[in-house]
Structures are given as structure tokens and as C-alpha cells.
Amino acid sequence: MPLDRSQVKVAANGRVYSAPLGTAGPTSATNAMPAGWIDLGYLSEDAFTVRSGREIAEIRGWQSSNSLRRIVTSTSFDVSFSLMQWSSTTVRLAFGGGTVTQVAANATATPPIEAHALYTPPDPETIDERQLCLELRDGVNQLRWVITNGSVTDDVEIGGSRTDPSLLPITFSANASDVGQPWYFRTNFPGILA
């Protein structure tokens, strides 16, 4: 492979979107996101981590010290990031669903009730499946990873401090897809776009 600086990429900026299952996915690397995709707002400075993995079992025979065969027993694809913005959408994503109800103010109640939101978590058995799109930009070049069916799979641990934001940590893992692959990406990066 020849040396080519245009193929060196930096995830200088980007966005993360979420959508219900069945929502039409992006049809290009740069067009506007289709209707139904919600921008999840600011991420922490650490941005994101994408991890694709697989577990391989080795089949060995008595007559050979080398593996006779290798078989893929499972695959995984995860995207991890920390959301900075707290909204009904980001809270429900982080905690695996649930509901957010707006409670109206009632000045005549004893004691008076101010307007507020009430978050109720989902039943413990609920798995909140949805789509996720991680978009990264490097100048005019863009890449969109899309998980067509997935869910939050790690514990949510939120810290508090006088000087740091309280983040909503997300690890979103791909589930098997009934149609097509569980994840894909679209890009206009030079070198991949050949």
C-alpha cells in the first residue's frame, strides 16, 4: 500500500442519533438524517469507542499440536460513549426505556407542587431495542456507523462533582438482525471510496 495522508482520519467531530426499530436508515454518508432519528446531543470529550469482536473455538486432534479447525462461536459489536445532555430521550436510552411524565404545578396543594418531570424505570425484564447511528466527521469526509437493532448492555454509573458534568454512560450493543447485517457503515472517506 502506498503512503497516502488523505487516508489518515481523525474523528474531529460528529453526532450520535437514535431511532425506533423499523425507522429508515441513512442512505448516504452525508445527506440529512431521515425523519425519526433523534440527535442525542453533546458527548463527553472522550468521544466514543467502537469495538468489534469475535470468539473463536479451536478444534484439536490427538495427532496434531496445531489446531485442526477454528470456528467462530460468537460475534459482538459495541459502541460506547458518555452523554452530557440530560433529556427525556437520553435518560430513557441510558436506563433501558421507561416513561417520563410531565407533572403540572399545583400552587394550592399542601405543600405546593412545582412543575417537574417524573421518570419511571421500565420493568426489569424489559429490553429497550432501538437503532443507533454514530456519525464522525473529518473535514468534508464523514462516516456513519449504523446498528440496525441493539440495546444498552452495561450498567449505568453516574458520578457527581462540583467541577465535572454528570454523564450518562452508554454501551450500545448490536443484536442479531432478521434482515441483513446487525451493523454497517457508510462513508465517503478516500481510500474506502474506491
Side-chain angles (χ1 to χ4, degrees):
M1 172 185 295
L3 301 176
D4 186 346
R5 293 182 320 129
S6 73
Q7 294 179 3
V8 176
K9 292 296 151 202
V10 175
N13 201 336
R15 299 250 190 231
V16 178
Y17 302 90
S18 174
L21 295 180
T23 304
T27 57
S28 81
T30 59
N31 286 354
M33 288 296 288
W37 288 85
I38 298 171
D39 187 337
L40 299 178
Y42 280 110
L43 302 186
S44 69
E45 244 183 334
D46 296 334
F48 64 88
T49 301
V50 173
R51 188 183 59 143
S52 177
R54 53 187 197 159
E55 292 186 17
I56 298 174
E58 294 187 358
I59 299 175
R60 297 190 171 271
W62 178 44
Q63 293 87 349
S64 175
S65 59
N66 294 322
S67 296
L68 302 177
R69 287 188 61 191
R70 289 181 176 85
I71 298 172
V72 176
T73 58
S74 68
T75 61
S76 63
F77 186 81
D78 307 308
V79 178
S80 299
F81 50 89
S82 292
L83 295 168
M84 295 181 78
Q85 291 181 229
W86 289 57
S87 69
S88 61
T89 299
T90 60
V91 167
R92 285 184 287 127
L93 173 65
F95 290 103
T99 58
V100 175
T101 306
Q102 301 303 319
V103 179
N106 184 347
T108 62
T110 306
I113 299 171
E114 76 283 355
H116 65 279
L118 171 65
Y119 172 72
T120 306
D123 291 331
E125 300 81 22
T126 299
I127 303 290
D128 180 35
E129 296 181 325
R130 59 181 64 227
Q131 297 182 82
L132 192 89
C133 176
L134 171 64
E135 176 182 281
L136 62 95
R137 297 183 200 132
D138 185 1
V140 297
N141 299 130
Q142 193 159 290
L143 183 141
R144 286 178 171 158
W145 264 294
V146 177
I147 297 176
T148 58
N149 182 332
S151 53
V152 172
T153 54
D154 273 359
D155 294 340
V156 176
E157 186 175 331
I158 300 168
S161 131
R162 289 180 57 204
T163 57
D164 295 320
S166 292
L167 304 174
L168 293 167
I170 306 289
T171 297
F172 194 85
S173 302
N175 298 329
S177 175
D178 292 334
V179 179
Q181 295 296 322
W183 67 272
Y184 63 89
F185 69 74
R186 295 182 184 274
T187 186
N188 63 351
F189 283 178
I192 297 176
L193 181 65

